[in-house]
Each structure stands twice: as C-alpha cells, then as structure tokens.
Amino acid sequence: MMRDLVLGLEVVLPNRQIWNGLHRPLEDNTGYGLRQFFIGTEGTLGIVTAPCMRLFPRPTQMEMTFLAVESATSAIGLCQQARRDLPDLMSAFEGLPRRSIEMSPQVLNSIRASLHATAPYYGLMEISAGRLVDPRDVIGRLLGSAFERRTMLDGAMAANLTQLQTIRWLREGIVEAQARRGRHLRTDVSVPIGATASFLEDMYAEVMRQFPFAYGHLGDGNIHFGVLAPEGVGTEERTALFCACEKIIFTAIDRWNGPIGVEHGSVVTKGTAFFSLMPESTLAMQARVKGAFDLRFLMNPERILEPVADESQER
C-alpha cells in the first residue's frame, strides 16, 4: 500500500552521500526502482530525509455502515461484492468477530442499540465519494442486493456525524478494551484475502482456550490476531503462554505464505520468528542488498538482519 503512494525519496546513505530520487512521474521503468529499497527497510540502508508522495483529492462525502453477518467468510464475501460493485468508492472494510467485541461492554451496547440482533461476525464499511455521487444511494442498493442473496443478517448506516463517529469508535473500543486487560500478545500479520476465513478458523481452533481476539482490514488480508491471558496468570506463565501462541500463529502464517510484519515492521520483538521462517535464499539476497549499501552495519543495527563480524577488522 505505502509502496504505491511513494513516488520518490531523498536519502542520506551510509557513505554520507545524498541520493536525490525525488521523481514525480507516476510511470518510470528506467533501470532499477531504487526507492523501493528504502521503503519498509526501517532505516537499515539509509535515512530518508524527504519523500515525494502521491496524493488524491479529499472526498467531499463519507458514509459508514455497520454490518452483521454469519461468519468471517460471509464478511469477506460481502467485502468482495462491495469491491466489485463499488470499486473506486470503498475506502475501508474492517472485520470484527463477536468474541472481540464482547471484550468491551460499551461496544456491545452500542451494537445492540444499532441492530435488531447480535451476530457472530460484524463488518465496518467506509464509502468515500465526490460531490457528484450519492453514496447513500449506492450503499442502499448494495445492502439490498446482499439481503436478497442472504449474505447479510442486518445493517445500519450512519444517519449523521454523531452516528458516524460512533461506528468508527466500535473498532477503537476493542483496542481500548484489550489494553485494560493488561499485557497481551498482539500480532500484525497478513494472509491472502481468500485464505483469511480459513486462517481465522484454524487459529480459533488452536488457541481458543486462551481468549483470542482478532480484527483487521478484510480488503487486504491484514489481521491483528492476538491472545489475552486468563485472569490470575503470573508473569512467567503469561510469557510462556504468549510465546507458545505466537509460534502457532506465525507457523500458520508461514503455511499460508503470509508476512509476520505488515504495518509495524518485522524485527526486534519478532526477530526469532523472522529469521526462522524466512527462506535462506531470501535472507541471502537481503544480506547482499545490505552489503551493497552498508557493509559495516552502521545503519540501525539489529533490524532486518543480524550484524556480522567484520573479518578485516579482526585481522
């Protein structure tokens, strides 16, 4: 996502040179796309001092809809239907399992006030449009089609700004609720969109006894899957539990060919999993790229790759 929005960069390199790659054209296939080396590499190849970003006009209208469905599979199906029917208007689609929502009584009460009945799974859909489009009309037709296909149990569209902000708060309420439960395991992973439902089902089956929660962006397969420890568990037992659950989650991610660091980087807290799951050929290529820019590992050491001994200095 971010890679598509960065048109160019200015970077200070480890050798103190300044690379001016602030190109503005959207299309540029001249040689290597050097800017991509510095996106997502967490300052290990150079220090970004200026970006050139791709910007879009700010939407003049925004609508939020809260949806109740039978399962994650139904939510993903509804998201895909919206992507087909409203390809340029859907700006976000969040998936929220009921068990995650139940962590916050305030969130659950808001849902009961908005919908006729509770459901196993929910979705938050955001539609953004310009002044010549009536978003409420297209949402109404989309929901009508979903009801006819029986892919949705219920839905509520924000009628005013207050309700829109309330719907937005539903997701943030889950984040606040998990923080109030104390230290917990939280991952930032991704799987192919078509595998999202199967991944969640597998994870719930394997770590269900440990109070898991999950929410994420169903439109791109990004999932924040985590585990809450049972109440009264001590520090050492909690740490052991989280390590075991993290291993299960990351092993499943590897099975689905997904990354373990999507929005918040990869190494430091996830170093062991990163190095154990990354194919040797990929690690070798990354090491060669690192060596081409920063052979002495001066830039942000212990990120992405482990430092290696400088044999020339040892001699």
Side-chain angles (χ1 to χ4, degrees):
M1 304 301 178
M2 176 57 69
R3 294 183 184 274
D4 295 333
L5 299 177
V6 178
L7 299 180
L9 296 171
E10 179 187 78
V11 182
V12 178
L13 302 174
N15 62 5
R16 302 182 183 180
Q17 291 183 343
I18 298 177
W19 175 63
N20 184 357
L22 293 172
H23 303 299
R24 295 178 181 273
L26 291 176
E27 190 73 20
D28 183 3
N29 294 313
T30 308
Y32 300 112
L34 295 179
R35 71 180 184 276
Q36 299 295 344
F37 282 113
F38 303 99
I39 301 172
T41 51
E42 304 183 34
T44 57
L45 304 182
I47 300 173
V48 175
T49 52
C52 178
M53 306 297 296
R54 183 181 183 185
L55 303 179
F56 298 89
R58 184 175 181 176
T60 58
Q61 301 182 81
M62 184 176 295
E63 298 290 344
M64 293 286 293
T65 305
F66 187 63
L67 310 167
V69 293
E70 284 284 0
S71 63
T73 301
S74 299
I76 292 169
L78 191 54
C79 177
Q80 292 173 337
Q81 180 184 344
R83 190 177 293 279
R84 288 192 300 268
D85 295 346
L86 313 172
D88 298 323
L89 300 180
M90 187 176 69
S91 50
F93 197 109
E94 299 272 351
L96 303 172
R98 178 177 175 178
R99 66 184 310 140
S100 297
I101 289 175
E102 287 176 341
M103 291 192 302
S104 173
Q106 294 90 343
V107 172
L108 195 59
N109 290 336
S110 295
I111 291 173
R112 288 170 176 165
S114 303
L115 302 176
H116 295 296
T118 56
Y121 208 91
Y122 299 94
L124 297 179
M125 183 174 65
E126 179 183 273
I127 299 295
S128 304
R131 61 184 180 85
L132 298 181
V133 177
D134 183 354
R136 298 186 69 83
D137 176 65
V138 295
I139 292 175
R141 283 186 284 165
L142 174 69
L143 299 187
S145 174
F147 274 123
E148 291 178 1
R149 299 179 184 182
R150 297 184 179 180
T151 57
M152 185 177 70
L153 301 176
D154 199 359
M157 192 186 316
N160 50 52
L161 181 60
T162 300
Q163 290 186 4
L164 186 147
Q165 292 173 339
T166 299
I167 293 178
R168 277 183 174 173
W169 174 80
L170 293 177
R171 182 184 186 277
E172 300 307 317
I174 295 175
V175 177
E176 294 176 5
Q178 71 190 40
R180 286 195 295 269
R181 288 286 298 270
R183 182 179 165 220
H184 55 276
L185 171 66
R186 183 173 181 267
T187 63
D188 170 37
V189 298
S190 182
V191 295
I193 296 175
T196 303
S198 298
F199 167 75
L200 289 175
E201 290 173 2
D202 288 349
M203 290 300 92
Y204 282 136
E206 294 192 52
V207 296
M208 184 174 291
R209 291 176 299 174
Q210 313 304 337
F211 303 94
F213 59 86
Y215 54 90
H217 321 298
L218 295 187
D220 58 13
N222 179 208
I223 304 167
H224 301 292
F225 190 94
V227 177
L228 296 171
E231 295 183 5
V233 171
T235 302
E236 293 185 3
E237 187 178 355
R238 184 187 297 260
T239 299
L241 168 67
F242 290 162
C243 288
C245 290
E246 184 181 64
K247 184 177 180 180
I248 293 173
I249 295 169
F250 287 167
T251 300
I253 286 293
D254 186 52
R255 189 165 62 244
W256 290 108
N257 296 318
I260 63 172
V262 182
E263 295 178 320
H264 309 294
S266 53
V267 183
V268 172
T269 59
K270 308 173 189 173
T272 301
F274 178 84
F275 292 116
S276 64
L277 296 176
M278 186 69 66
E280 290 186 8
S281 58
T282 301
L283 285 174
M285 284 191 288
Q286 292 197 18
R288 288 195 289 270
V289 171
K290 174 68 171 176
F293 285 93
D294 181 24
L295 184 58
R296 297 173 62 191
F297 275 80
L298 298 175
M299 307 299 294
N300 214 2
E302 299 182 6
R303 293 258 184 175
I304 307 300
L305 293 171
E306 294 176 326
V308 296
D310 189 335
E311 296 180 359
S312 62
Q313 290 185 2
E314 290 180 356
R315 293 178 186 148

